[in-house]
Amino acid sequence: MTAGPVSATPDELKARIEAEIPNARAVVTGDGHHFNAIVSSPAFRGLSRIAQHRLVYEVFGDEVGDRIHALSIQTKADD
Amino acid sequence: MSDQSTNPLRDEIQKAISENRVILFMKGTPEQPMCGFSARTVAVLESMRQSFAAVDVLPDPRIRQELSALSNWPTIPQLFIDGELVGGCDIVTEMYQSGELQEALGLDAGAPGEAAPEPEPAPQQPLSIENRL
């Protein structure tokens, strides 16, 4: 579904985060290269910040730093 | 011979992390950061007058590849304290604002935003590891 060099959009990132991380809600802004994502999920509970951010980065794998040039993340563990 | 081909660059990165209590892998140098996220992270450390070692990942793309493989973290900058990855710009900034960073560094966590009375910018000399390939 995400094939090709089509540039990334905030909507795409939001949809993929919400699909991959259980019960996540994401607010994503960005210009196609630099993005900011605020993500809340009960899956973050009990995890360190590093581990929370890794969960979000893992949604995109190698695309971070490449197709998604930069991804700023804020995470919130909600109930 | 080890089972995997030896990886001197990764060993060198690991060594730098274990030998420097506070070490920042960044794009550019503290004096001349080449990316806004690296610049912001340097600014946070310098505002606390925290000395740190710095490694520029730009001279060779393999530095970044090996670092990310080692740390399981995809982006630059990466700050390590006491051998452990603390995070990138977002986490460092968040922890600074909450006082957790000062705590991790063993600094007075009292006033996160306090003005530095005597500017003491000179951090440790940046490591250069690209010549060890």
Side-chain angles (χ1 to χ4, degrees), chain A residues 41-63:
Chain A
S41 166
F44 295 146
R45 295 196 71 189
L47 299 182
S48 66
R49 273 202 191 83
I50 284 276
Q52 294 176 358
H53 286 221
R54 273 196 187 114
L55 282 181
V56 180
Y57 281 133
E58 279 166 8
V59 172
F60 304 106
D62 290 347
E63 291 169 73

Side-chain angles (χ1 to χ4, degrees), chain A residues 2 7-19 26-32 34-37 59-60 67-68:
Chain A
T2 56
S7 68
T9 65
D11 284 349
E12 178 205 321
L13 269 59
K14 172 185 166 67
R16 290 173 65 189
I17 290 169
E18 292 182 345
V27 177
V28 182
T29 54
D31 60 6
H34 295 77
F35 295 92
N36 184 67
V59 172
F60 304 106
R67 179 170 172 267
I68 300 167

Side-chain angles (χ1 to χ4, degrees), chain A residues 49-50 53-54 57 72-73, chain B residues 71-72 75 86 90 94 100:
Chain A
R49 273 202 191 83
I50 284 276
H53 286 221
R54 273 196 187 114
Y57 281 133
S72 255
I73 299 172
Chain B
S71 63
N72 188 24
T75 55
V86 169
D90 297 326
E94 230 176 276
E100 288 164 88

Side-chain angles (χ1 to χ4, degrees), chain B residues 66-85:
Chain B
E66 292 301 332
L67 173 64
S68 286
L70 194 72
S71 63
N72 188 24
W73 191 258
T75 55
I76 303 291
Q78 296 186 23
L79 178 69
F80 290 78
I81 300 176
D82 294 325
E84 281 199 31
L85 176 65

